[in-house]
Amino acid sequence: MIARTPVSPVNAARLRDIESLADPEGGEVQIGCPESIAAFLALVIERLATHSPHMRFSVQQVHWPATDFPELRERKADIVLGRLVTLPAHGQVTNDIAAEVLFDDPFSVVIGKSSRWAQVEEIGLADLVDASWVCTPLDVLAGRFLAEAFEREGLKPPTPKVATSSIHLRNHLAGTGQHVAVLPRSALKLNAERFGLRELPLKLTDKPSPVAVMTLKDRTLTPAVEAFVTCATVLPARMVTVPAEL
């Protein structure tokens, strides 16, 4: 029996890229994406699947906020959708990772339509000190913005009733009307009708919360990947505001 040498992830990716070039209307796109952007990703995939029925997608969950991109460097992903801590300078986040900002995705304070605060015309954070909060831990991006907002008003930040990174759990609990959640605005807009959500008129921060698509600079994009990036760039225009890059 002849022993087979395992194919490295880099060589496997190169073989897949060559196969994709031979099938410009099909091919596979390997995507890294955190759950907080999954609703937007689903919108992109739905649009591409309609116009390019032979295209395939492989999605893996990545950590956020994005600070390093091993999935790209190890060629386990063609692209990574990520929420950045700051706007990328000169179209890159590192010397070898290019970044294109798709939209600014600020965090919203969200309740269900049956919430007792749904009919209140004017509301401030002081009114929500004792609310049942559902958000990320206070040392993670959304939770940190919430804590800072309370501190700016001289209030003690609330201890989350439920501390979670799960968007689905935040959607569901806020939708019951019994909890107040912090959600990315894109997730709110794409899920508001399904879960019966509405946004309270509260601004947590002026800091940007850019969502970007990252690619490896020295890797040629296949037609399928280019089509994905183009679609992801165009779709947000109707949904969100794109911040100016540095």
Side-chain angles (χ1 to χ4, degrees), residues 105-184:
D105 197 18
F107 291 94
S108 300
V109 178
V110 178
I111 58 173
K113 291 182 179 179
S114 62
S115 169
R116 62 190 176 98
W117 289 292
Q119 305 302 322
V120 177
E121 294 185 2
E122 295 186 9
I123 191 169
L125 288 177
D127 300 309
L128 301 172
V129 169
D130 297 321
S132 177
W133 285 92
V134 183
C135 65
T136 63
L138 298 184
D139 60 347
V140 178
L141 204 57
R144 188 167 72 243
F145 287 160
L146 177 65
E148 291 173 352
F150 271 86
E151 289 170 348
R152 280 196 305 272
E153 297 196 10
L155 302 170
K156 181 181 178 181
T159 299
K161 181 75 169 181
V162 181
T164 177
S165 295
S166 170
I167 293 292
H168 180 78
L169 189 56
R170 281 181 271 172
N171 283 335
H172 180 82
L173 290 176
T176 66
Q178 303 302 311
H179 307 273
V180 180
V182 179
L183 286 168

Side-chain angles (χ1 to χ4, degrees), residues 144-221:
R144 188 167 72 243
F145 287 160
L146 177 65
E148 291 173 352
F150 271 86
E151 289 170 348
R152 280 196 305 272
E153 297 196 10
L155 302 170
K156 181 181 178 181
T159 299
K161 181 75 169 181
V162 181
T164 177
S165 295
S166 170
I167 293 292
H168 180 78
L169 189 56
R170 281 181 271 172
N171 283 335
H172 180 82
L173 290 176
T176 66
Q178 303 302 311
H179 307 273
V180 180
V182 179
L183 286 168
R185 186 162 296 164
S186 63
L188 169 63
K189 289 189 175 183
L190 295 173
N191 291 304
E193 183 176 354
R194 177 183 176 189
F195 290 95
L197 304 175
R198 60 169 295 180
E199 182 178 13
L200 289 177
L202 297 169
K203 189 173 185 179
L204 296 181
T205 183
D206 290 323
K207 297 176 182 177
S209 183
V211 169
V213 56
M214 270 67 67
T215 55
L216 196 62
K217 281 188 175 182
D218 64 356
R219 185 175 183 182
T220 301
L221 302 184

Side-chain angles (χ1 to χ4, degrees), residues 31-34 36-38 40-42 44 60 62-64 66 69 72 79-84 100 102-103 211-214 228-229 232:
I31 307 155
C33 180
S36 64
I37 313 174
F40 172 71
L41 172 59
V44 177
Q60 57 182 299
V62 298
H63 296 292
W64 69 275
F69 305 91
L72 290 176
I79 61 175
V80 168
L81 294 175
R83 185 181 306 279
L84 304 179
E100 181 176 356
L102 302 176
F103 55 91
V211 169
V213 56
M214 270 67 67
F228 183 95
V229 173

